[in-house]
Amino acid sequence: MDPITNPFSPGAGSPPPELVGRDPIIEKARILFGRIKERRAEKSLLLTGLRGVGKTVLLNELERLASSTGYRTVVVEAHEDKPLGPLIAPHLRGVLYNLDRVAGAGDKVKRGFRVLRSFVGALKVTYKDVEFGLDVDPEKGSADSGDIEIDLPNLFVAVGEAADERGSAVALFIDEVQYFSGKELGALIMAMHRVQQRQLPIVLLGAGLPILPGLAGESKSYAERLFSFPEVGALNADESAEALREPTLAAGVVFEPEALDEVFRLTKGYPYFLQEWGYQSWNHAPLTTITRDVVVSATSTVIERLDQNFFRVRFDRLTPGEKRFLRAIAELGPGPQRTGDIADALRVKVTSLGPLRARLIKKGMVYSPAHGDMAFTVPLFDEFMRRAIPTFTV
Ligand SMILES: Nc1ncnc2c1ncn2[C@@H]1O[C@H](COP(=O)(O)OP(=O)(O)O)[C@@H](O)[C@H]1O
Ligand SMILES: [Mg+2]
């Protein structure tokens, strides 16, 4: 069928034609936005899940929900090498300018600018390239200690008070939260703690890999009282069928039940893979019916595309030693593997694997779902590793 009218949308952050299976999380967010606006306490949300399950897409959906309910929103994405302060400061300036346009008496917005100016002044000492125009004098002694765990809470309080004064509320959306250092994550948690204690209208909605609850807990033991960690996962068989059936039906095309079963078997319900299989099956279908045979004939193209894009970008960032480690995990089979077994497969001592393991966790390739276990952060990565390196040799 015509690729131009293809409804499916494989790609990082590409909104799916049908956002399936996320109603419970959307409902949680709706309650959070409503309660915080009324100055009632509620836990902020940190979405967790593997790569390609739909965290970014869901975060963007929640951003729309917040905007439509009157929140000033900030959307940022953390990177391995972008520190929290410089990342967030320009956006908070935007929020303050926005609040400044709202009619209302009081000087909290002006104070917000001065505290932000202090915060940025302190950042400039560490990060030379922070460039920032702000036409106010800094408020000396607020948010300018240079210690992010002190400064960020002060800045959040100032912004929260400004929003409160103008009868508004602020929602911060942060993707890939696991990339922050322990110190930065700690600062973020402390800032939200202060905001909550003062009942100020700021909410945080983050997303990250499944290691996130562990990182947050390690950083500040009270994190679990401030945040809930909804899991974004694979869709079940019914939801997967819906994700494929509804968009095709809307275009007058039938996705046959046997074809839906086959896609679920191949994808295990992972959203990114559902989009990819839906997309190629559509293009391969000669007529307006997607049969099981069409899915089967599209599969080699799908695997090729996944190998060249989704999997390959991660593979190419690895050193030979890292590849060998990951190939050993794949050799042991799908699902989490004991670190001891990985060491045996590589014929090395467990203790010698520490640094390699730490590097791969930092790169977001693997995580530890339980003590002593290692698993891939990308679904079906074990199958890819076996295709990429067909024979495992030590
Ligand atoms: N609920 C869903 N139903 C169907 N497809 C989805 C859903 N959520 C996400 N997708 C699709 O999955 C892919 C990955 O989404 P993304 O948000 O980038 O994942 P993540 O941020 O977890 O890596 C996209 O192609 C998107 O269209
Ligand atoms: Mg994402």
Side-chain angles (χ1 to χ4, degrees):
M1 285 183 288
D2 185 359
I4 292 177
T5 54
N6 195 328
F8 294 103
S9 60
S14 313
E18 182 94 7
L19 186 68
V20 182
R22 305 304 183 213
D23 289 351
I25 297 179
I26 295 172
E27 179 59 13
K28 258 186 139 153
R30 198 184 61 79
I31 294 169
L32 167 65
F33 296 143
R35 287 183 60 85
I36 295 300
K37 266 177 104 178
E38 305 209 351
R39 310 296 185 260
R40 296 198 175 93
E42 191 57 62
K43 286 181 182 180
S44 276
L45 298 178
L46 294 179
L47 313 177
T48 64
L50 300 179
R51 302 215 175 265
V53 291
K55 300 178 298 298
T56 300
V57 156
L58 184 54
L59 213 54
N60 290 337
E61 179 69 20
L62 300 180
E63 192 273 335
R64 274 191 289 281
L65 180 61
S67 284
S68 72
T69 45
Y71 274 78
R72 315 283 138 159
T73 62
V74 166
V75 183
V76 295
E77 182 185 327
H79 294 276
E80 271 156 302
D81 42 14
K82 179 102 194 192
L84 171 60
L87 185 69
I88 206 164
H91 295 275
L92 293 179
R93 179 179 65 159
V95 165
L96 289 170
Y97 274 122
N98 201 302
L99 290 170
D100 203 23
R101 285 199 289 273
V102 179
D107 55 8
K108 297 289 192 203
V109 178
K110 294 278 173 290
R111 174 167 190 264
F113 280 117
R114 289 197 304 274
V115 174
L116 180 62
R117 175 78 201 277
S118 298
F119 182 80
V120 172
L123 285 181
K124 276 188 179 147
V125 177
T126 325
Y127 313 107
K128 300 281 176 289
D129 59 343
V130 183
E131 249 345 296
F132 217 80
L134 263 183
D135 208 9
V136 293
D137 290 328
E139 182 175 296
K140 289 246 156 52
S142 296
D144 58 2
S145 76
D147 180 347
I148 187 96
E149 290 198 10
I150 296 169
D151 295 347
L152 196 71
N154 287 337
L155 177 61
F156 272 30
V157 166
V159 172
E161 284 176 350
D164 187 44
E165 188 188 80
R166 298 294 154 102
S168 188
V170 178
L172 306 173
F173 294 84
I174 307 183
D175 206 354
E176 308 280 3
V177 174
Q178 77 281 346
Y179 283 137
F180 288 135
S181 68
K183 179 98 177 154
E184 290 169 327
L185 188 58
L188 201 55
I189 296 168
M190 284 170 82
M192 288 310 296
H193 193 201
R194 271 271 227 100
V195 156
Q196 203 191 52
Q197 284 168 344
R198 309 228 178 156
Q199 294 186 302
L200 292 170
I202 298 186
V203 292
L204 174 66
L205 292 98
L209 292 175
I211 45 172
L212 191 50
L215 291 178
E218 259 169 47
S219 175
K220 294 285 168 273
S221 58
Y222 55 81
E224 66 182 49
R225 280 181 279 132
L226 287 175
F227 299 103
S228 64
F229 297 92
E231 269 181 52
V232 185
L235 304 179
N236 65 31
D238 286 345
E239 291 165 339
S240 298
E242 193 186 333
L244 298 167
R245 202 195 311 114
E246 297 311 311
T248 42
L249 212 52
V253 172
V254 176
F255 217 121
E256 287 193 337
E258 297 73 29
L260 294 171
D261 290 346
E262 180 64 4
V263 175
F264 183 67
R265 191 182 70 77
L266 291 162
T267 59
K268 302 188 171 74
Y270 281 104
Y272 191 100
F273 302 146
L274 287 173
Q275 295 301 323
E276 197 73 79
W277 253 281
Y279 185 84
Q280 295 301 340
S281 299
W282 173 285
N283 288 354
H284 273 75
L287 300 165
T288 57
T289 306
I290 298 175
T291 61
R292 187 176 176 281
D293 282 350
V294 168
V295 171
V296 171
S297 75
T299 293
S300 59
T301 314
V302 175
I303 305 256
E304 225 171 86
R305 275 187 43 128
L306 287 174
D307 283 3
Q308 279 163 12
N309 302 297
F310 189 73
F311 294 127
R312 178 61 62 175
V313 291
R314 310 204 148 77
F315 187 77
D316 287 346
R317 296 168 57 217
L318 302 168
T319 65
E322 291 167 352
K323 285 177 185 166
R324 214 172 309 120
F325 182 93
L326 298 181
R327 184 60 182 83
I329 299 180
E331 186 67 14
L332 294 167
Q337 302 297 338
R338 309 287 306 163
T339 316
D341 295 342
I342 301 167
D344 288 347
L346 292 166
R347 300 208 203 107
V348 295
K349 286 207 192 85
V350 167
T351 45
S352 73
L353 284 179
L356 191 58
R357 196 171 149 267
R359 272 210 313 277
L360 285 165
I361 291 176
K362 181 132 202 308
K363 283 190 174 176
M365 293 301 304
V366 291
Y367 72 107
S368 175
H371 187 71
D373 279 356
M374 282 282 94
F376 292 117
T377 57
V378 178
L380 307 182
F381 203 74
D382 59 308
E383 292 175 18
F384 165 73
M385 283 306 295
R386 286 198 299 271
R387 284 194 297 276
I389 308 175
T391 42
F392 174 61
T393 45
V394 185

